[in-house]
Amino acid sequence: MKKRITFTQALFLLPLLILLGIFAVYPIVTSAVYSLFDYRTNDQTVAGLYTSNKFNAPLFVEDCGYITWYLGDDVTLLEGEDKQKAEQIIAEIDEIAAPYKEVNEVVSIDGDISQNVVDKMTSYQEELKAIYTKNSDKQFYNGYEKLELLFNEVYGCKISSNFTGLSAYVQVLKDTRFGDSLKTTLIFTFISVFFEFILGLGLALIMNKAMKGIGAVRTISLIPWAIPTAVSALMWSYMYDGSSGIIAKIFADIGLISAPEAMLLTGSGAMTAAILADVWKTTPYMALLLLAGLQTIDTGLYESASIDGAGPITTFFKITLPLLKPSILVALLFRTLDAFRVYDLIAVLTGGAQGTETLSIYAYKLMIGQSNYGYGSVVVLAMAICVGIIAFIFVKVLGAELLSDD
């Protein structure tokens, strides 16, 4: 019979649940909501989440004020019927803006009313354009060009619903740039994790040996992992520099690249540079995880195998590797998920240029560079789905295999 959690025990879990809700659940829910809208903060017509017609009252009043102000200066240079017409337009614009002067937010408004306002402002613009054209010989203080910009802003005060539903998810499947970024991410992930595992396993076997100075070896080997990724990437960028970088020069001298400049200025060179920097940085972390698994293996098994005449290779494949499988699963899972979400290394080293744009870089450019939080959230959620699939494969497929082996 299963025991139920008591109220007191639940209270101890409450802080953890609150933290999970704030830092895990809330961002996911927010991204999911944003992904249903064409939400871009650099465009006032879609700078919010609108499911119905809206009207930007504060901006409308502000733009109308500028129009009447600029027009008021130019009216002093007009004469006769043109002056009367311009003054009449100023009065009518003030009358249209008056009901919204006390409104300090984006409000819901009937579509016909907002369209009527836009139609009136359009007719005023056409009339003013005719007046300015007729009096083109006059040196106006502001001119029609400034007024035209203000009228264009006024039209943007009418906000239509930017709810797109699931259409953005269909769009991401057709997005070739997303496909290229996913391909780049997978290539970077699998190649870097492969070499990190091979080198990390070798390093872990060395650090597991009981020999003189092993403490210093363990400490020195962990230095690359202790360096912040951004600092590490900047350091490697100097060594990859085509004019003075030592790594670029060595690779060019031994024929791996055609010239030192090709290290970061070609697709293959930039990807190789990123993978090499990542392998150097995170191999110690892989080794640390595997070392923890090695130290749980009973040394008596090795002694028995030695008595039976088993050599180092046989011992490794028959004892070490099978008993190390759980640690290998954890190490590969952690590093694969971490490598799939890589951002800082690529951002500092190449900025996503030369075919090194990963999904994280693409999402950053959409959301921060272009202020496109709607489609950017779709890319982020697609990336989260990929991470979930990877975790499922490791835990369910490889994890089930480990359990069956036991």
Side-chain angles (χ1 to χ4, degrees), residues 153-174:
E153 281 199 19
V154 166
Y155 303 144
C157 293
K158 176 191 174 184
I159 302 173
S160 301
S161 171
N162 62 340
F163 179 77
T164 59
L166 300 178
S167 61
Y169 290 91
V170 178
Q171 179 185 348
V172 79
L173 296 176
K174 302 176 182 178

Side-chain angles (χ1 to χ4, degrees), residues 43-311:
D43 185 345
Q44 64 185 18
T45 62
V46 288
L49 309 182
Y50 307 122
T51 56
S52 61
N53 292 327
K54 301 287 184 178
F55 189 71
N56 194 333
L59 182 61
F60 177 73
V61 173
E62 180 182 352
D63 290 338
C64 287
Y66 281 122
I67 289 175
T68 55
W69 182 22
Y70 288 173
L71 190 55
D73 291 337
D74 290 347
V75 163
T76 59
L77 301 178
L78 296 174
E79 298 175 352
E81 184 179 339
D82 291 337
K83 183 174 184 179
Q84 293 177 358
K85 186 63 178 177
E87 290 175 344
Q88 180 184 350
I89 291 175
I90 292 175
E92 292 182 5
I93 290 177
D94 286 335
E95 183 179 352
I96 294 175
Y100 305 104
K101 287 186 177 179
E102 301 301 324
V103 182
N104 297 318
E105 58 184 354
V106 176
V107 295
S108 298
I109 189 172
D110 184 81
D112 294 336
I113 296 177
S114 60
Q115 186 60 46
N116 186 42
V117 171
V118 171
D119 291 342
K120 284 185 178 180
M121 297 301 292
T122 302
S123 65
Y124 295 150
Q125 182 183 2
E126 292 175 353
E127 292 175 4
L128 290 172
K129 183 178 181 180
I131 293 174
Y132 277 99
T133 302
K134 181 180 177 182
N135 297 274
S136 58
D137 57 320
K138 292 182 170 56
Q139 298 294 324
F140 290 106
Y141 297 108
N142 299 299
Y144 176 74
E145 291 75 14
K146 291 184 179 180
L147 291 177
E148 185 178 27
L149 295 175
L150 290 172
F151 274 107
N152 290 335
E153 281 199 19
V154 166
Y155 303 144
C157 293
K158 176 191 174 184
I159 302 173
S160 301
S161 171
N162 62 340
F163 179 77
T164 59
L166 300 178
S167 61
Y169 290 91
V170 178
Q171 179 185 348
V172 79
L173 296 176
K174 302 176 182 178
D175 187 353
T176 56
R177 187 172 177 182
F178 174 83
D180 293 339
S181 298
L182 177 59
K183 180 181 177 182
T184 299
T185 304
L186 291 174
I187 292 173
F188 174 85
T189 299
F190 289 119
I191 295 179
S192 61
V193 172
F194 172 78
F195 283 107
E196 286 164 14
F197 171 69
I198 299 300
L199 297 175
L201 181 58
L203 184 59
L205 291 172
I206 294 174
M207 291 192 296
N208 192 46
K209 294 294 183 181
M211 57 184 184
K212 186 176 181 180
I214 191 61
V217 172
R218 292 174 179 175
T219 303
I220 295 172
S221 64
L222 292 177
I223 290 177
W225 181 53
I227 299 175
T229 305
V231 176
S232 173
L234 189 62
M235 178 184 70
W236 279 94
S237 68
Y238 290 138
M239 293 191 290
Y240 288 145
D241 185 80
S243 59
S244 58
I246 183 63
I247 299 296
K249 185 178 186 308
I250 292 175
F251 282 5
D253 290 343
I254 62 179
L256 292 179
I257 55 178
S258 58
E261 294 79 10
M263 195 67 203
L264 292 178
L265 298 181
T266 60
S268 58
M271 178 58 73
T272 302
I275 292 173
L276 180 59
D278 187 67
V279 169
W280 177 84
K281 171 77 171 64
T282 53
T283 292
Y285 176 67
M286 180 74 78
L288 189 64
L289 295 176
L290 296 176
L291 176 62
L294 287 173
Q295 293 185 337
T296 62
I297 300 176
D298 186 4
T299 56
L301 296 174
Y302 294 108
E303 295 174 358
S304 299
S306 178
I307 293 174
D308 293 338

Side-chain angles (χ1 to χ4, degrees), residues 321-348:
L321 203 56
L323 295 178
L324 197 60
K325 279 186 177 181
S327 298
I328 292 174
L329 172 63
V330 173
L332 290 178
L333 176 60
F334 282 8
R335 272 305 304 142
T336 301
L337 295 182
D338 194 33
F340 190 85
R341 296 178 288 107
V342 64
Y343 169 77
D344 42 6
L345 175 67
I346 303 294
V348 175

